[in-house]
Amino acid sequence: MKFNKVLDDVKIYEAGKPIELVVREYGVDPKDIIKLASNENPYGTSPKVIKRIQEISQNMYMYPDDSMFQLKESLANKYNVESSNIIIGSGSDQILEFAIHAKCNKNSKILMAKTTFAMYEIYGKQTGATIIKTEDAQHNLEQFSKLYKEHNPEMVFLCLPNNPLGECLDTKDVYEFLKEIDSETLVIIDGAYSEYAKYKDENKKIIVDDLISKFPNVLYLGTFSKAYALGGMRVGYGIGKKDIIQNLYKLRPPFNITTLSLAAAIEALNDEEFVKECIAKNFEEMKRYEDYAEQKGFEYIPSYTNFITIKFDDKYISSEVAQNLLQRGIIVRDLTSYSMNAIRITIGKKEQNTKVFKQLDEVLDILK
Amino acid sequence: MKFNKVLDDVKIYEAGKPIELVVREYGVDPKDIIKLASNENPYGTSPKVIKRIQEISQNMYMYPDDSMFQLKESLANKYNVESSNIIIGSGSDQILEFAIHAKCNKNSKILMAKTTFAMYEIYGKQTGATIIKTEDAQHNLEQFSKLYKEHNPEMVFLCLPNNPLGECLDTKDVYEFLKEIDSETLVIIDGAYSEYAKYKDENKKIIVDDLISKFPNVLYLGTFSKAYALGGMRVGYGIGKKDIIQNLYKLRPPFNITTLSLAAAIEALNDEEFVKECIAKNFEEMKRYEDYAEQKGFEYIPSYTNFITIKFDDKYISSEVAQNLLQRGIIVRDLTSYSMNAIRITIGKKEQNTKVFKQLDEVLDILK
């Protein structure tokens, strides 16, 4: 059967390997598996949120409040905006989908960094849009500016900090760049890991109400999947001017998050203390990865997130390292598909990281 | 900011009013609210499923197994098909979205009954496709055939049984109709309420493996939202030939259902006994609604689902009846937006229905 031609060019996203797959394919005991491939919060969900979900689990038969009144109110308070500036998605991923499908078609152009979140390109290609990438893997605003002037794209993506590399632009530089952008160009600022970035460095902090009032063509994205430890519950949000939000609403399916997800997100916002503790531990543990890489002579990208990207240059082949770790029950992300000889490792808990270093020592020894 | 022109013509779906809204707007105690507006299973989720979710609620921080291996295996066994014939969606709603966006564009035509599930038209208009509807509100295959020959649409929708009206075509008539359809036309058979229909009448039963092997251009949809009592968890599925499924996969976002939803759906398939009991009670209680309507002299549509549509003709105005019930904490669906002077009521539990009849008596008395 024939389908729309644009689909011919669409790739399917390759998710981090789940624990279930490693159990099935390598017969590793689930208890021994360390999954550091999808940037989940390794400290788990807040106990308060778990308690809340257990209390209301009998409500699974009921659709959620599709207005998402309470969650939008809470987010509006947190960000000092109106509820009408907010749209909730099944992960911020779904807001990307709404925005790209609302704005782009086969005549559109989309500008992004060479190596950034894969779904920007995948959703873009679903509309038939042309993808324009900077030469540098990491965000380089000079290259963004040059390409912006050259191509006049309908959309620009800034991933701050950037997944899967971990770098982050300074907010003042982002503001300077945004001044150059036409008001008809929709700029997405993807803040999926922003809680980590602003903890590490005040210069990376974005004040969302200031951002969208100064730049009415910007849509800011946030998520509960990372620092808020609800990756499995699929809740994210977009914040922007009402006219943008209203247009995205036209593509929002009803009941796009679950009844339990809605309750979990609301409760997660009541436990900011938990989030702060997780982030503090994250950077303590990240230091150990940096030390490890330096000791082995590997280059790494200083990271403003909960993961670190380690490059192997000519010393090892990243796919072999990842595969050998996988057989030992340690799941990391090989970046070969991003044309990099590197692996991305989520910063785990202390005891997990200790095991990773031990296993990595052994694997590197075998592959030497 | 300008967005794609097709959005100008897209309406936003009006969901059944949530309990939270009635609490907020009318100050009714949540305990006194009876929500019979969204065709949820009023008997609640299976206790086995609730237990399972409570056990694994600490996994909310982790993304689900994006291959959905185990759920697809279970569904493949249930329907006697291969896992590769199945795609999982955030409700069968999302499969509709994939199918329409994969198949249609502004040059496409989509054929459906005049009064059927609103999302067919909404997703259709998102692609710019032209919507063609039968003259009759209920499914009329003669009209479908005539319009099919006249317009040669890219997609045809059959909602079996039909939401929001409740009627259901016989399977043998559907098969005869499908023989007339070109293999390049994608036919969606939406079986969201099929469990109810086949319980009431064997002639409505669709054997899915037979259907898709005889008609490779058919995509069958099922859901966990209705008989399986997981409306709030957003899990549905499409079953069809591999080439259709593979194309829909190109539009599937990663992690499109939650970690808890995946586990809930798997467990729900292990408790078919619960589903059967709910359906049996549904039709016992539906008899009371039929009796009530007859006693009041209201016409109703014989229903193969878990809801009943009652028409008021000139006797009452449906929006007034619905509004008066709402103020008393009883939420039903007014069908004015479907150009009908009728209300759709989900068949509740015995004690709920008794209260509905009592309150409806009072409301009708006031509005007389």
Side-chain angles (χ1 to χ4, degrees):
Chain A
M1 178 176 288
K2 286 196 202 88
F3 287 91
N4 280 323
K5 269 211 162 313
V6 289
L7 292 190
D8 296 348
D9 204 25
V10 174
K11 279 187 213 135
I12 292 174
Y13 178 78
E14 186 195 348
K17 290 185 170 51
I19 287 174
E20 293 87 337
L21 182 137
V22 182
V23 175
R24 283 195 304 269
E25 295 197 358
Y26 301 105
V28 182
D29 188 320
K31 283 190 215 87
D32 296 335
I33 294 175
I34 298 177
K35 186 189 174 201
L36 299 173
S38 300
N39 304 336
E40 292 140 339
N41 185 330
Y43 303 101
T45 304
S46 147
K48 286 184 189 169
V49 176
I50 295 173
K51 182 164 171 282
R52 175 75 185 140
I53 292 308
Q54 289 175 342
E55 280 165 8
I56 62 151
S57 55
Q58 78 280 0
N59 290 346
M60 285 187 280
Y61 72 103
M62 267 201 292
Y63 291 102
D65 175 359
D66 199 41
S67 77
M68 302 184 201
F69 179 85
Q70 201 186 333
L71 177 57
K72 290 203 287 191
E73 284 285 299
S74 299
L75 286 169
N77 282 335
K78 177 180 164 78
Y79 285 107
N80 193 32
V81 297
E82 304 288 321
S83 282
S84 56
N85 296 122
I86 299 174
I87 183 167
I88 307 295
S90 176
S92 49
D93 216 274
Q94 195 180 33
I95 313 293
L96 291 172
E97 188 187 2
F98 297 158
I100 295 170
H101 280 261
K103 186 70 183 169
C104 295
N105 55 55
K106 66 180 163 44
N107 303 315
S108 308
K109 291 174 184 170
I110 303 176
L111 175 59
M112 63 186 71
K114 181 183 166 193
T115 302
T116 189
F117 186 44
M119 294 310 297
Y120 307 155
E121 179 166 358
I122 292 175
Y123 290 129
K125 289 202 168 166
Q126 287 176 1
T127 71
T130 302
I131 310 298
I132 296 161
K133 293 180 178 178
T134 59
E135 200 184 318
D136 280 9
Q138 297 180 36
H139 286 64
N140 177 326
L141 285 178
E142 273 181 39
Q143 291 179 7
F144 267 87
S145 285
K146 190 165 165 290
L147 290 168
Y148 178 75
K149 281 167 201 148
E150 195 178 327
H151 294 284
N152 194 24
E154 273 71 15
M155 285 185 84
V156 177
F157 282 90
L158 298 177
C159 192
L160 305 176
N162 188 25
N163 175 19
L165 300 183
E167 93 278 7
C168 191
L169 296 170
D170 279 0
T171 302
K172 70 170 173 31
D173 297 334
V174 173
Y175 270 53
E176 287 307 310
F177 171 71
L178 291 174
K179 286 177 192 162
E180 301 170 17
I181 306 299
D182 186 272
S183 63
E184 275 299 322
T185 300
L186 178 59
V187 181
I188 304 283
I189 293 189
D190 184 346
Y193 298 88
S194 63
E195 291 86 358
Y196 296 96
K198 73 181 178 197
Y199 176 93
K200 184 172 177 179
D201 183 348
E202 187 74 14
N203 295 319
K204 315 298 183 188
K205 184 176 179 178
I206 289 174
I207 297 165
V208 177
D209 57 328
D210 183 70
L211 177 76
I212 67 166
S213 77
K214 287 211 175 75
F215 305 104
N217 59 327
V218 169
L219 181 70
Y220 179 85
L221 305 189
T223 185
F224 287 88
S225 296
K226 306 301 174 187
Y228 287 85
L230 288 172
M233 298 306 277
R234 318 304 301 119
V235 192
Y237 48 89
I239 304 178
K241 285 284 177 190
K242 283 178 204 175
D243 79 301
I244 297 178
I245 299 299
Q246 280 166 357
N247 274 283
L248 302 194
Y249 253 97
K250 293 186 173 183
L251 292 178
R252 189 188 71 94
F255 311 124
N256 60 324
I257 68 170
T258 78
T259 298
L260 301 190
S261 303
L262 183 59
I266 291 166
E267 190 63 29
L269 288 174
N270 290 332
D271 197 3
E272 296 281 2
E273 199 49 47
F274 173 84
V275 174
K276 262 189 221 159
E277 284 167 23
C278 293
I279 295 174
K281 284 186 273 189
N282 174 70
F283 285 111
E284 278 172 35
E285 289 299 310
M286 189 181 286
K287 183 76 177 63
R288 297 176 67 203
Y289 277 90
E290 292 170 350
D291 292 347
Y292 184 87
E294 279 164 21
Q295 173 209 324
K296 296 281 175 186
F298 298 141
E299 200 187 329
Y300 65 87
I301 302 174
S303 171
Y304 294 85
T305 66
N306 69 343
F307 59 82
I308 189 163
T309 296
I310 296 174
K311 299 177 180 178
F312 292 120
D313 302 317
D314 295 340
K315 299 185 188 77
Y316 296 92
I317 297 165
S318 65
S319 59
E320 289 181 5
V321 176
Q323 183 59 30
N324 272 272
L325 285 172
L326 192 62
Q327 285 163 5
R328 292 153 180 264
I330 294 174
I331 321 177
V332 302
R333 184 71 75 101
D334 172 33
L335 297 183
T336 303
S337 65
Y338 290 87
S339 309
M340 290 175 72
N341 183 25
I343 57 172
R344 189 194 70 183
I345 308 181
T346 306
I347 308 301
K349 288 193 285 196
K350 190 171 186 169
E351 61 275 22
Q352 291 177 319
N353 300 329
T354 302
K355 282 184 193 160
V356 169
F357 298 138
K358 184 168 172 291
Q359 295 290 333
L360 198 48
D361 276 345
E362 289 181 26
V363 166
L364 294 172
D365 208 47
I366 290 168
L367 295 175
K368 195 161 57 184
Chain B
M1 178 174 290
K2 285 197 203 88
F3 288 90
N4 280 324
K5 268 211 162 316
V6 289
L7 292 190
D8 296 348
D9 203 26
V10 173
K11 279 187 212 136
I12 292 174
Y13 178 80
E14 186 196 346
K17 290 184 171 52
I19 286 173
E20 293 87 338
L21 181 138
V22 182
V23 175
R24 285 196 303 271
E25 296 197 356
Y26 301 102
V28 182
D29 188 320
K31 283 192 215 85
D32 295 335
I33 293 174
I34 298 177
K35 186 189 175 203
L36 299 174
S38 299
N39 305 336
E40 292 140 338
N41 185 331
Y43 303 100
T45 303
S46 147
K48 287 184 190 169
V49 176
I50 294 173
K51 182 164 171 282
R52 175 76 186 138
I53 291 309
Q54 288 175 343
E55 280 166 8
I56 63 152
S57 55
Q58 78 281 1
N59 290 346
M60 285 187 281
Y61 73 103
M62 265 201 292
Y63 290 103
D65 175 359
D66 200 41
S67 76
M68 303 186 200
F69 179 84
Q70 201 186 334
L71 178 56
K72 291 204 286 190
E73 284 286 298
S74 298
L75 285 169
N77 281 335
K78 177 181 164 79
Y79 285 107
N80 192 33
V81 297
E82 303 288 321
S83 282
S84 55
N85 294 122
I86 299 174
I87 182 167
I88 307 295
S90 176
S92 49
D93 217 273
Q94 196 180 33
I95 312 293
L96 290 172
E97 189 186 2
F98 298 157
I100 294 170
H101 281 261
K103 186 69 184 169
C104 295
N105 56 53
K106 64 179 164 43
N107 303 314
S108 308
K109 292 174 182 171
I110 303 176
L111 175 59
M112 64 186 70
K114 181 183 165 192
T115 304
T116 190
F117 186 44
M119 294 310 298
Y120 306 156
E121 179 166 357
I122 292 175
Y123 289 128
K125 288 199 168 168
Q126 287 177 0
T127 71
T130 302
I131 310 298
I132 297 160
K133 293 181 178 179
T134 59
E135 201 185 318
D136 282 9
Q138 297 180 36
H139 284 63
N140 175 325
L141 285 178
E142 271 181 40
Q143 291 179 9
F144 267 88
S145 283
K146 191 165 164 289
L147 289 167
Y148 179 75
K149 280 168 202 150
E150 196 178 325
H151 294 283
N152 195 23
E154 273 71 15
M155 284 186 85
V156 176
F157 281 90
L158 298 177
C159 192
L160 306 176
N162 187 25
N163 174 20
L165 299 183
E167 93 279 6
C168 191
L169 295 169
D170 280 1
T171 302
K172 70 171 174 31
D173 298 333
V174 173
Y175 270 53
E176 286 306 310
F177 171 71
L178 291 174
K179 285 178 193 162
E180 300 170 19
I181 306 299
D182 186 271
S183 63
E184 275 300 322
T185 301
L186 178 59
V187 181
I188 304 281
I189 293 189
D190 183 345
Y193 297 89
S194 63
E195 291 87 357
Y196 295 97
K198 73 181 178 196
Y199 177 93
K200 184 173 177 180
D201 183 348
E202 187 73 15
N203 294 319
K204 315 297 183 189
K205 183 175 180 178
I206 289 174
I207 296 164
V208 175
D209 58 327
D210 182 70
L211 177 76
I212 67 166
S213 76
K214 286 210 175 77
F215 304 105
N217 59 327
V218 169
L219 180 70
Y220 179 86
L221 305 188
T223 186
F224 286 90
S225 297
K226 306 301 174 186
Y228 286 85
L230 287 172
M233 298 305 278
R234 319 303 300 119
V235 191
Y237 48 90
I239 304 178
K241 285 285 176 190
K242 283 176 205 176
D243 79 300
I244 297 177
I245 299 300
Q246 280 166 355
N247 275 283
L248 302 193
Y249 253 96
K250 293 187 173 182
L251 292 178
R252 188 188 72 94
F255 312 124
N256 60 325
I257 69 171
T258 78
T259 298
L260 300 191
S261 303
L262 183 59
I266 291 165
E267 190 64 27
L269 288 175
N270 290 332
D271 196 4
E272 296 281 0
E273 197 51 46
F274 173 84
V275 174
K276 262 189 220 161
E277 283 167 21
C278 293
I279 296 174
K281 283 186 274 188
N282 173 71
F283 285 111
E284 275 171 35
E285 290 298 309
M286 187 180 288
K287 183 77 177 62
R288 295 176 68 201
Y289 278 90
E290 293 170 349
D291 292 347
Y292 184 87
E294 278 164 21
Q295 173 210 323
K296 296 282 175 186
F298 297 142
E299 200 187 328
Y300 66 86
I301 302 173
S303 170
Y304 294 85
T305 67
N306 68 344
F307 60 82
I308 189 164
T309 296
I310 296 174
K311 300 178 180 178
F312 292 120
D313 301 318
D314 297 340
K315 298 184 187 79
Y316 295 93
I317 297 166
S318 64
S319 59
E320 290 182 4
V321 175
Q323 183 59 30
N324 272 272
L325 285 173
L326 192 62
Q327 286 164 3
R328 293 154 179 261
I330 293 174
I331 320 176
V332 301
R333 183 71 75 98
D334 172 32
L335 296 184
T336 302
S337 66
Y338 290 86
S339 310
M340 290 175 74
N341 183 26
I343 56 172
R344 187 195 70 182
I345 309 180
T346 306
I347 308 301
K349 287 194 284 197
K350 190 170 186 170
E351 60 276 22
Q352 291 178 317
N353 300 329
T354 301
K355 282 182 193 160
V356 169
F357 298 137
K358 185 169 170 292
Q359 295 290 334
L360 199 47
D361 275 345
E362 289 181 23
V363 166
L364 295 173
D365 208 47
I366 291 167
L367 296 175
K368 195 159 57 183

